[in-house]
Amino acid sequence: QVQLVESGGGLVQAGGSLRLSCAASGSIFRINAMGWYRQAPGKERELVAGIASGGSTNYADSVKGRFTISRDNAKDTVYLQMNSLKPEDTAVYYCNAQGITTNYGRYYPSSWGQGTQVTVSS
């Protein structure tokens, strides 16, 4: 089985920074893409940033210039550096992995972490 574990969430004042980490475990051979989603109370889950195995990235317009996604393929880990945080960034952030192949021949189309709370105060 594949498991995603997020860390780095917490409380921060507006203008501050947080760095989220998500590590995939389970004898991973390859992950096609990883990304971060977020869901605020009363709102739908939205893609914040994504990164493919080759390094190409995409961001939601609301976070461009402030957030940076990166990936360590050797460690099966994805990061989200969040700078200049705003109260509207407050949400539960979820790590997602897409197209997972394990060393034992298992394939998982998609896997989700449990989420980590990010709260930005004004």
Side-chain angles (χ1 to χ4, degrees), residues 2-122:
V2 175
Q3 185 176 19
L4 304 181
V5 180
E6 300 112 328
S7 62
L11 304 174
V12 64
Q13 287 189 312
S17 299
L18 285 173
R19 184 172 182 261
L20 305 183
S21 299
C22 173
S25 62
S27 299
I28 304 297
F29 175 73
R30 188 179 188 274
I31 300 176
N32 183 48
M34 301 186 77
W36 291 94
Y37 292 72
R38 68 185 181 187
Q39 186 168 23
K43 296 184 178 181
E44 296 184 353
R45 187 174 300 186
E46 64 173 346
L47 175 66
V48 178
I51 184 167
S53 60
S56 61
T57 60
N58 64 290
Y59 297 90
D61 289 340
S62 60
V63 306
K64 287 182 179 178
R66 299 188 297 119
F67 291 9
T68 302
I69 189 170
S70 60
R71 176 175 177 173
D72 187 336
N73 291 333
K75 296 182 178 180
D76 298 317
T77 301
V78 65
Y79 307 92
L80 185 67
Q81 179 66 47
M82 304 185 293
N83 298 327
S84 302
L85 283 163
K86 304 175 181 179
E88 49 263 44
D89 294 318
T90 295
V92 177
Y93 284 70
Y94 297 91
C95 178
N96 173 256
Q98 179 181 323
I100 307 161
T101 304
T102 73
N103 291 323
Y104 301 99
R106 293 292 303 273
Y107 179 79
Y108 300 86
S110 182
S111 183
W112 292 88
Q114 293 297 310
T116 184
Q117 177 70 47
V118 172
T119 302
V120 184
S121 62
S122 60

